[in-house]
Amino acid sequence: MSEATQHEKDLQAIEEFRMFDDTFMSAVFDEQTAETELLLRVVLGRDDIQVETSEAQFYLSNIYGHEAKLDILARDCQGKAYNVEVQRVLSGASVQRARFNGAMVDVTLLKKGEPHQNLPDRYTIFITEDDMFGKGLPAYHACNTIAELENAPLGDGGYIVYVNGQYRNTDTPIGKLMHDFFCVNADEILYPLLKDRVKYLKETEGGRNEMCQIMENRINEEKIDMAKRAIASGKYSLEAIADIVDLPLAFVQELARPKTA
């Protein structure tokens, strides 16, 4: 496929993107503190959140093997952390994944030597296209509780929230937000801040160029992930892997080289 043909396909894909599409969601919120702040304030029903940083597709490594790639990792002015995941398939939003992501974020929040009591609050938020728990509520909030104390909150600072993407009552903040997440046309978006951001990415040359670069980067990341899995399986030669995933052989050889401390 020629570069011109691929570019035209990318532009067509951009036209159809919604914020519920992982690639586009990343572009809307990556390094966009105001947009991320709006998202968190609506989901958590608070107007005191002041976001200082927002990063999309944030990787957290684990020395024991399994890493986490977070859709959005944000921090506020108090050091509290917010991991937001947008999931179209409910299996990708399991409570076990929420637990794992929360644990991975937690280990980044405390500096060496700090007492555990200094661990800031951490929110793990899943926005799911379907209703995770099937009760028709706009959101479901979970925190650890003490059974013997009438389920009083444990107060460990760890929170999990599931947002129901099917909730569309636009008389409510979450209903408006979920409406906006499903919009293809920027002019139909209700929150002006999100409307402007989507319009920029879809309707300006600069925004479309950003999107094309993000899409190219995502394809390359997927190729590298496929190559790593194939190398780990031990079933294929490095030459075969390079051919299958369309990466230079020298690059695949470098991926396969044992890492030294």
Side-chain angles (χ1 to χ4, degrees):
M1 184 184 300
S2 69
E3 287 188 13
T5 302
Q6 182 61 56
H7 184 67
E8 186 59 34
K9 287 189 66 175
D10 289 345
L11 293 178
Q12 292 175 2
I14 292 168
E15 290 182 3
E16 299 301 317
F17 274 144
R18 313 163 302 162
M19 281 183 280
F20 242 107
D21 295 305
D22 184 57
T23 301
F24 192 62
M25 182 277 303
S26 297
V28 171
F29 294 101
D30 186 32
E31 298 184 356
Q32 306 301 311
T33 56
E35 287 81 354
T36 305
E37 188 172 285
L38 169 65
L39 170 67
L40 296 176
R41 287 185 172 197
V42 170
V43 168
L44 298 176
R46 291 168 42 194
D47 60 7
D48 62 333
I49 298 173
Q50 295 181 327
V51 171
E52 287 196 340
T53 63
S54 176
E55 297 181 66
Q57 302 305 311
F58 190 89
Y59 282 86
L60 290 173
S61 298
N62 181 349
I63 62 172
Y64 296 104
H66 198 87
E67 66 179 10
K69 183 173 75 171
L70 311 182
D71 285 348
I72 303 171
L73 180 62
R75 300 178 194 270
D76 68 15
C77 61
Q78 297 177 321
K80 297 177 182 178
Y82 306 83
N83 166 216
V84 182
E85 300 290 324
V86 175
Q87 288 293 323
R88 299 182 63 178
V89 181
L90 291 181
S91 60
S94 68
V95 293
Q96 289 80 11
R97 184 179 180 190
R99 173 186 169 189
F100 180 80
N101 279 17
M104 290 290 285
V105 173
D106 279 348
V107 299
T108 71
L109 298 178
L110 208 58
K111 295 179 181 178
K112 186 176 181 180
E114 276 194 283
H116 294 96
Q117 291 82 351
N118 288 2
L119 188 67
D121 290 353
R122 176 263 305 148
Y123 295 82
T124 304
I125 299 167
F126 278 96
I127 302 175
T128 57
E129 186 162 352
D130 293 315
D131 187 347
M132 181 70 178
F133 299 102
K135 301 299 182 181
L137 299 176
Y140 306 88
H141 299 75
C143 65
N144 289 326
T145 61
I146 306 171
E148 289 79 7
L149 298 180
E150 299 180 347
N151 292 319
L154 179 62
D156 60 344
Y159 304 92
I160 299 173
V161 181
Y162 283 88
V163 181
N164 176 10
Q166 292 300 311
Y167 190 80
R168 306 294 177 76
N169 181 356
T170 54
D171 291 331
T172 67
I174 286 184
K176 286 173 61 177
L177 184 66
M178 291 303 96
H179 166 274
D180 290 355
F181 260 65
F182 279 85
C183 287
V184 172
N185 187 343
D187 290 328
E188 296 176 355
I189 292 177
L190 301 176
Y191 281 106
L193 191 62
L194 298 179
K195 176 187 290 188
D196 291 344
R197 179 64 178 161
V198 171
K199 189 177 286 286
Y200 165 75
L201 291 170
K202 282 179 172 259
E203 300 179 13
T204 70
E205 182 178 359
R208 288 193 293 267
N209 287 340
E210 280 187 34
M211 282 304 310
C212 288
Q213 186 62 56
I214 289 171
M215 293 164 73
E216 181 180 343
N217 292 344
R218 182 64 60 84
I219 290 172
N220 290 334
E221 289 175 3
E222 291 173 352
K223 287 181 178 180
I224 292 171
D225 286 343
M226 289 175 59
K228 286 180 177 179
R229 290 196 297 270
I231 292 169
S233 74
K235 296 179 180 179
Y236 310 95
S237 69
L238 299 184
E239 290 78 8
I241 293 171
D243 184 60
I244 292 170
V245 302
D246 191 23
L247 285 172
L249 175 58
F251 185 82
V252 175
Q253 290 171 333
E254 179 63 27
L255 289 177
R257 186 171 292 119
K259 300 297 185 293
T260 58

